[in-house]
Amino acid sequence: MPSPTHRAQRRTDALSRERIVEAAVELLDTAGESGLTFRVLTERLATGAGAIYWHVANKGELLAAATDAVVAAALAPGGSQASPQEEIRAVALGLFDAIDDHPWLATQLSAQFSRSPWGAVTPRIFERIGRQVSALDVPQETWFTATSALVHYILGAAAQNAANAVSARELDPSVDRAGFLDAAATAWEELDPDDYPFTRAVAAQMRVHDDREQFLGGVDLVLTGIITR
């Protein structure tokens, strides 16, 4: 029979802040922000609300902690030595995939950047990308602007990609990505050639493009501009 000390330790482990945040991420992934309530969380963790409030003061703090946990995992450094450009591409893809896997993350990242840039998330992302920007031998007076441009592109493009995927599923769950892109490209090709010559010209490229390759192409364009300048 477990001793009282052992039982208390098991309760402490089960109700650690990390376990609460993990459960919150699971709820956000399945039910979205509106589905994350302390009532549902207490049911999932089989505990009382007081035990959760001991670790997390309110829903805002819980959302911030969940966001930081997902971002920290996405930005976990690899073991190999890479050039600054390769490191930035790896960081960008990590964030791209995290936002794609967690549909709620884009909104929370936007909120963290605009409402609490002094919180954990904004410095974490800015530091990871900014160190590589500084290693590109660009003038120090351009570091903030260059890093901001990269961060805004990475988060904006990744968020748009995730939103496109969600919208496509909501419009017609039976249509896969290829079918959705084909329908969109066909519609572009049927536009008036006098009013939309460019859009018609790139319709075929849109039909067959790879989201991750297109995303990295944008990262490379920003990097080229930073280095050239």
Side-chain angles (χ1 to χ4, degrees):
M1 180 175 179
S3 67
T5 300
H6 183 65
R7 289 197 299 271
Q9 182 62 50
R10 289 181 60 185
R11 286 197 299 271
T12 301
D13 292 342
L15 296 177
S16 68
R17 180 181 174 88
E18 290 75 15
R19 177 67 192 107
I20 292 169
V21 171
E22 178 184 338
V25 171
E26 293 169 357
L27 279 173
L28 286 164
D29 288 346
T30 57
E33 183 178 341
S34 62
L36 176 63
T37 67
F38 275 62
R39 179 183 62 80
V40 174
L41 197 57
T42 57
E43 293 174 357
R44 173 160 296 203
L45 293 171
T47 188
I52 295 177
Y53 281 117
W54 177 263
H55 296 282
V56 184
N58 50 54
K59 184 174 179 177
E61 182 180 327
L62 183 57
L63 284 167
T67 302
D68 187 46
V70 172
V71 169
L75 298 184
S80 61
Q81 295 292 325
S83 69
Q85 293 95 324
E86 292 170 335
E87 182 67 18
I88 288 171
R89 284 165 60 93
V91 169
L93 270 184
L95 290 169
F96 181 90
D97 291 338
I99 292 173
D100 192 47
D101 291 339
H102 305 280
W104 53 272
L105 184 59
T107 300
Q108 290 306 313
L109 283 172
S110 177
Q112 290 292 316
F113 268 74
S114 61
R115 297 176 188 172
S116 57
W118 48 79
V121 173
T122 302
R124 188 187 297 278
I125 295 174
F126 223 73
E127 180 69 22
R128 188 67 186 280
I129 295 176
R131 285 192 187 186
Q132 304 309 316
V133 169
S134 67
L136 291 173
D137 293 328
V138 297
Q140 185 169 352
E141 60 268 20
T142 69
W143 287 0
F144 177 74
T145 298
T147 302
S148 296
L150 274 167
V151 170
H152 288 313
Y153 169 76
I154 290 167
L155 298 185
Q160 186 61 59
N161 175 77
N164 290 346
V166 171
S167 296
R169 288 193 297 267
E170 291 175 347
L171 286 173
D172 188 348
S174 66
V175 177
D176 61 11
R177 178 183 179 278
F180 181 83
L181 289 178
D182 182 65
T186 299
W188 282 15
E189 290 167 340
E190 294 172 351
L191 292 169
D192 186 291
D194 294 326
D195 293 336
Y196 300 96
F198 175 82
T199 304
R200 284 167 53 91
V202 299
Q205 297 175 33
M206 192 264 282
R207 178 183 281 113
V208 298
H209 83 278
D210 180 274
D211 292 330
R212 295 170 101 246
E213 288 180 2
Q214 182 192 43
F215 172 73
L216 284 178
V219 172
D220 289 341
L221 285 173
V222 178
L223 281 172
T224 299
I226 291 171
I227 295 168
T228 301
R229 179 177 177 181

